[in-house]
Amino acid sequence: MSYQEKKNIVQLISSTVIFAVYCLFVYLRDKDTTLEGEELFRHWGAVILILIPISIVARIVIEIIFIIIHRIATSEKEPSFADELDKLIELKAMRVSYFVFLLGFLLAMGALVLDGQLSAMFIILLLSGFVSEAAGILWKLRLYRRGV
Amino acid sequence: MGHSHITNNIRNLRFNRHEMTQQQLADQVGVTRQTIVAIEKGKYSPSLELAFRISRIFNLPLEEVFGYEEGQTSL
């Protein structure tokens, strides 16, 4: 398994864990709270905005730990740059990611039309963000394994 | 996706050139070792520029390093 494949697997696991832990934290904190109107918008806005820096910081820490463990375990130095193959795979995976998020966005709009509950829309949007990221990573893994 | 129609004999050329490693070739042409691995296995067709750079390393014309064959995997 190449370095990029291992890195993508670690990214997939870390994204899943970070998202799951954060969602669980928010759910446990707010499950007995009833919000309406502006408060509801503010709540969901805060949930999404706080998730972003937490994800970034957590992922950087996990990546640093992965690099250290990888160097100790394999004595192999990680690539210091992204070459043409890496950039091509990144672009192709980004396309898949955008498409998946677009589907999620349309689903969120559909939920608004059908159900009318704002919380459902925000939940679907949040999930779409995670699923689109996971789809992108999985596609990268597929391309690294099977070729471009 | 998968195996391309661009074939190559980079692996043989490396061994004939003082058993050059994939990492050494990668360093000389400015890509990662994984890209050289993918090219040798036929999983990736290099860009024209990269193909020329690889050929220059072996002092051979492009056609002697890479080939194009219908429905075949790499050499």
Side-chain angles (χ1 to χ4, degrees):
Chain A
M1 198 183 279
S2 69
Y3 172 81
Q4 286 92 344
E5 288 170 29
K6 289 178 211 165
K7 187 180 161 190
N8 279 304
I9 289 170
V10 167
Q11 276 180 349
L12 184 63
I13 295 168
S14 64
S15 292
T16 307
V17 168
I18 292 164
F19 185 75
V21 167
Y22 182 75
C23 287
L24 186 66
F25 169 75
V26 169
Y27 172 72
L28 291 173
R29 187 191 66 182
D30 299 330
K31 64 178 180 176
D32 297 323
T33 315
T34 311
L35 297 163
E36 284 178 19
E38 270 184 36
E39 281 299 315
L40 188 66
F41 284 112
R42 206 169 285 131
H43 169 258
W44 281 109
V47 165
I48 291 168
L49 285 178
I50 290 168
L51 175 61
I52 293 167
I54 286 175
S55 291
I56 290 168
V57 169
R59 262 190 247 152
I60 287 170
V61 169
I62 290 168
E63 191 161 333
I64 290 169
I65 294 169
F66 166 71
I67 289 169
I68 292 168
I69 292 171
H70 185 264
R71 265 213 207 174
I72 293 168
T74 65
S75 307
E76 189 184 315
K77 207 175 157 214
E78 65 283 353
S80 56
F81 63 98
D83 63 6
E84 58 180 56
L85 178 61
D86 297 323
K87 286 176 190 168
L88 182 62
I89 288 176
E90 182 75 41
L91 281 170
K92 286 181 180 253
M94 208 182 293
R95 197 170 60 182
V96 167
S97 198
Y98 284 158
F99 180 71
V100 170
F101 184 76
L102 177 65
L103 284 178
F105 178 78
L106 292 174
L107 214 68
M109 295 304 105
L112 260 186
V113 167
L114 294 171
D115 193 42
Q117 277 195 16
L118 276 170
S119 288
M121 182 200 79
F122 282 112
I123 289 169
I124 293 171
L125 274 177
L126 253 179
L127 273 171
S128 303
F130 165 70
V131 171
S132 71
E133 189 183 352
I137 295 171
L138 285 168
W139 200 253
K140 270 198 254 184
L141 265 170
R142 185 172 193 263
L143 292 176
Y144 274 118
R145 280 232 144 239
R146 299 178 73 173
V148 178
Chain B
M1 205 180 304
H3 288 275
S4 71
H5 297 297
I6 305 291
T7 60
N8 67 81
N9 57 346
I10 293 172
R11 194 177 164 84
N12 293 331
L13 289 170
R14 275 195 303 110
F15 283 136
N16 292 338
R17 189 163 279 254
H18 314 296
E19 294 182 3
M20 186 192 290
T21 63
Q22 289 171 334
Q23 186 63 60
Q24 285 169 336
L25 178 59
D27 291 338
Q28 287 186 59
V29 297
V31 295
T32 61
R33 189 182 72 86
Q34 280 74 28
T35 300
I36 299 295
V37 170
I39 293 171
E40 288 184 1
K41 287 183 179 175
K43 289 184 178 181
Y44 173 61
S45 298
S47 66
L48 198 56
E49 185 182 338
L50 179 57
F52 270 110
R53 272 191 258 136
I54 292 171
S55 305
R56 289 271 167 90
I57 296 297
F58 297 116
N59 290 319
L60 291 170
L62 201 65
E63 298 78 18
E64 289 188 34
V65 182
F66 296 95
Y68 179 77
E69 296 194 29
E70 296 282 348
Q72 274 206 14
T73 57
S74 62
L75 296 170

